């Protein structure tokens, strides 16, 4: 197993400064820790889909180890800022209510190329998200964690992109088909995973899960973290994964439209009661 590009114990924990923490950010970090830590289930699914590709299976296992480390680092930080937070207990609560369909033996995207493009979309989203979180905080330890995670996610994107090209040569998906998969995966960003993670990490033990409530709570805190540069970078990554040129007028127009939607959504969510 390859060595991780960074280690949790090497982070500057002695520089932790609670006075620099935005309280509204803490619930997001708790939820993110659970999602990242759950990566082994996704690996089981990916290894079923790519059961005859031993090379990719090895890559998937390394990817999972790095993702789990992300969760552990975020969980440790969350417990530091909130000693009442039980990271492992929250993980169990999350897994009890949300499961990845690991028993499938074919991609839910309809093709292996589509699966890789979907993975590229996830890494696009996470890389942009942690860059946005890191830029929005002055707390030194969290800033360093987010910098490391964002770099990992960008590297993961590049790995999945390489395999997307490999399977594209075999399956021949056209640009429209690839874009359809990408947009479909982006549209799933408000499915149960993030909302349930937010609930499992932050809701009282007696609270019942309500998707609309916890999705809104998560999104209200998350959307406002983004700036135009984060959206520009994400759109360029989406274009590249779909076989479209990222540095074109079309990409600029798409980025402008995406930023308008993100900013509009952020303003709308910010105006809602907590």
């Amino acid at each position: 197993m390859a060595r991780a590009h960074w280690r949790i114990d090497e982070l500057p924990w002695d520089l932790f400064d609670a006075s620099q923490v935005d309280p509204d950010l803490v619930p997001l970090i708790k939820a993110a820790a659970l999602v990242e830590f759950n990566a082994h289930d996704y690996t089981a699914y990916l290894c079923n889909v790519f059961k005859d590709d031993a090379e990719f299976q090895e890559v998937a296992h390394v990817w999972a180890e790095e993702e789990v480390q992300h969760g552990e680092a975020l969980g440790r930080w969350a417990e530091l800022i909130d000693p009442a937070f039980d990271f492992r207990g929250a993980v169990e609560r999350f897994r009890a209510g949300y499961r990845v369909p690991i028993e499938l033996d074919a991609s839910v995207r309809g093709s292996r190329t589509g699966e890789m493009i979907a993975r590229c979309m996830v890494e696009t989203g996470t890389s942009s998200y942690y860059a946005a979180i890191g830029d929005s905080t002055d707390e030194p330890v969290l800033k360093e964690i987010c910098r490391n995670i964002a770099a990992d996610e960008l590297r993961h994107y590049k790995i999945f992109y390489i395999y997307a090209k490999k399977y594209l040569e075999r399956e021949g998906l056209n640009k429209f088909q690839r874009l359809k998969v990408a947009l479909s995966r982006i549209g799933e960003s408000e499915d149960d995973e993030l909302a349930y993670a937010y609930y499992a990490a932050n809701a009282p033990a007696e609270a019942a899960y309500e998707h609309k409530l916890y999705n809104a709570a998560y999104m209200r805190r998350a959307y406002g973290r983004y700036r135009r540069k984060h959206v520009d970078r994400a759109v360029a990554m989406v274009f590249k994964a779909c076989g479209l040129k990222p540095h074109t007028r079309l990409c600029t127009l798409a980025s402008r439209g995406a930023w308008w939607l993100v900013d509009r959504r952020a303003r709308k969510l910010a105006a809602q009661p907590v």
Side-chain angles (χ1 to χ4, degrees):
M1 189 68 67
R3 183 189 188 277
H5 288 246
W6 53 278
R7 291 185 181 278
I8 293 175
D9 289 339
E10 294 171 355
L11 292 167
W13 294 105
D14 58 317
L15 298 180
F16 176 74
D17 185 355
S19 70
Q20 297 296 321
V21 177
D22 174 4
D24 221 27
L25 184 57
V26 177
L28 291 179
I29 300 303
K30 291 177 180 179
L34 305 191
V35 174
E36 296 284 337
F37 193 76
N38 208 36
H40 283 305
D41 278 359
Y42 282 102
T43 301
Y45 160 72
L46 289 172
C47 286
N48 284 342
V49 173
F50 295 91
K51 53 185 174 292
D52 57 350
D53 189 337
E55 178 185 276
F56 176 72
Q57 287 187 22
E58 183 177 351
V59 167
H61 283 294
V62 173
W63 166 81
E65 292 298 328
E66 293 183 353
E67 295 290 311
V68 167
Q69 177 173 268
H70 297 169
E72 291 175 334
L74 293 168
R76 180 168 168 179
W77 184 90
E79 289 183 330
L80 195 60
I81 189 63
D82 179 8
F85 178 60
D86 176 9
F87 172 55
R88 298 290 173 170
V91 167
E92 292 308 310
R93 187 183 188 192
F94 176 54
R95 288 176 172 171
Y98 180 85
R99 302 297 298 181
V100 177
I102 62 176
E103 72 282 356
L104 299 177
D105 60 2
S107 173
V108 296
R109 309 297 164 186
S111 67
R112 290 182 168 186
T113 305
E115 185 62 49
M116 291 300 179
I117 290 172
R119 298 314 313 169
C120 284
M121 294 307 99
V122 173
E123 304 304 326
T124 296
T126 51
S127 179
S128 301
Y129 180 64
Y130 288 109
I133 293 292
D135 287 345
S136 75
T137 185
D138 292 322
E139 200 293 299
V141 182
L142 182 59
K143 202 171 192 69
E144 182 67 8
I145 291 172
C146 288
R147 185 189 69 80
N148 284 326
I149 295 178
D152 279 354
E153 306 293 24
L154 179 59
R155 183 166 44 79
H156 295 163
Y157 168 92
K158 293 176 180 178
I159 292 170
F160 288 123
Y161 178 72
I162 289 171
Y163 282 93
K165 289 198 297 182
K166 170 185 173 179
Y167 281 98
L168 180 63
E169 292 177 359
R170 303 179 186 182
E171 298 174 334
L173 270 68
N174 60 41
K175 292 177 182 178
F176 175 77
Q177 291 171 312
R178 284 176 270 169
L179 183 60
K180 185 178 178 181
V181 170
L183 294 176
S184 174
R185 184 61 187 87
I186 292 170
E188 294 170 13
S189 62
E190 295 191 27
D191 66 6
D192 262 344
E193 183 176 31
L194 288 173
Y196 203 91
Y198 188 94
Y199 160 77
N202 298 288
E206 68 277 6
Y209 174 64
E210 297 179 46
H211 172 78
K212 185 176 180 180
L213 174 66
Y214 291 103
N215 183 66
Y218 177 87
M219 293 299 171
R220 185 182 67 78
R221 290 169 173 81
Y223 266 74
R225 305 282 165 182
Y226 289 96
R227 297 295 177 261
R228 177 66 186 268
K229 65 179 181 179
H230 305 127
V231 174
D232 287 347
R233 184 163 167 265
V235 171
M237 292 169 72
V238 171
F239 264 55
K240 181 178 179 180
C242 295
L244 301 171
K245 293 182 180 180
H247 303 296
T248 60
R249 179 171 174 76
L250 178 60
C251 184
T252 299
L253 290 173
S255 184
R256 187 179 302 164
W259 170 244
W260 180 83
L261 289 171
V262 168
D263 186 51
R264 180 172 179 268
R265 184 74 187 281
R267 293 174 186 274
K268 184 177 180 181
L269 287 166
Q272 294 178 359
V274 178

